[in-house]
Amino acid sequence: HKVETVTIADDHSRALVSEPTASMTYWRSFSDGLHSHIGRRFAVATITCSSFLALLITIIQLTVDFRTEKNYQLDALTKIEASILPGLAESLWLLDTYLIDRQLVGIAQIDGVNSVEIIGAHKPFRFDNETAPATHRVDLPILRRSEGEPEELGRLVVSSNHAHIWNKLLARAA
């Protein structure tokens, strides 16, 4: 084997001293180890195991992140019932089309919402946000209390998908 050396000039005796560097010694011992059968097997096994573990941990992390983001989206959709439906019921009762349209546009701004529509009312209302196929659908009755009895004015249907979650996770991973 050829040994690489570094030449150092000694200022006191004007002699040149040649010594192998630490990194050269390391790479020479590493390459010597790869010439043996056990060394090659160990190197291949180490690289294979570390690659497998890195891939497995990445898949687990992406799965956990996807489920977390999906739960955030589903929570946002279920909060519609408590926060938006009472106002929407009053707007429908008064037939305030401008306010109804604004409320549907607001619901459509929730991440992943494809479309929002009111069915069963005197006039149909619909707002489409995306063309991707819906994977989740929330169907909520729009109720208004009149003389103590709930009266159904229509149904709010919110369709959503989870494609934006994958896109967000892939962008975060890149």
Side-chain angles (χ1 to χ4, degrees):
H1 295 302
K2 181 181 174 188
V3 176
E4 295 182 28
T5 59
V6 173
T7 304
I8 303 170
D10 185 358
D11 286 338
H12 296 289
S13 64
R14 302 264 185 227
L16 295 177
V17 179
S18 296
E19 296 177 2
T21 63
S23 64
M24 291 178 205
T25 306
Y26 170 77
W27 285 112
R28 185 180 50 204
S29 65
F30 179 74
S31 67
D32 288 345
L34 289 181
H35 291 295
S36 76
H37 179 68
I38 293 173
R40 278 193 307 272
R41 287 184 72 188
F42 180 73
V44 168
T46 302
I47 292 169
T48 302
C49 286
S50 65
S51 298
F52 175 75
L53 286 175
L55 183 62
L56 181 66
I57 289 169
T58 302
I59 290 170
I60 290 170
Q61 186 63 48
L62 284 174
T63 302
V64 168
D65 289 350
F66 178 79
R67 287 185 180 167
T68 302
E69 292 289 332
K70 184 175 133 185
N71 287 336
Y72 286 150
Q73 179 182 349
L74 295 178
D75 286 345
L77 293 176
T78 56
K79 288 178 183 174
I80 290 171
E81 187 171 11
S83 62
I84 297 175
L85 275 183
L88 189 58
E90 288 304 313
S91 299
L92 258 175
W93 178 256
L94 298 172
L95 289 175
D96 186 345
T97 56
Y98 176 78
L99 189 54
I100 293 169
D101 286 339
R102 295 291 90 209
Q103 289 168 322
L104 295 183
V105 167
I107 294 170
Q109 298 304 312
I110 297 172
D111 278 343
V113 170
N114 289 18
S115 66
V116 182
E117 65 180 316
I118 297 175
I119 56 175
H122 299 293
K123 178 183 173 190
F125 294 92
R126 182 174 179 87
F127 183 82
D128 290 317
N129 200 18
E130 295 181 23
T131 58
T135 57
H136 186 72
R137 181 181 163 133
V138 176
D139 188 342
L140 301 168
I142 302 172
L143 302 173
R144 181 178 186 277
R145 292 214 176 265
S146 176
E147 298 173 12
E149 292 295 316
E151 178 184 350
E152 186 171 313
L153 303 176
R155 300 192 71 73
L156 177 68
V157 179
V158 181
S159 300
S160 64
N161 69 26
H162 305 305
H164 77 286
I165 296 174
W166 282 118
N167 293 338
K168 185 188 300 185
L169 292 178
L170 291 176
R172 195 182 308 160

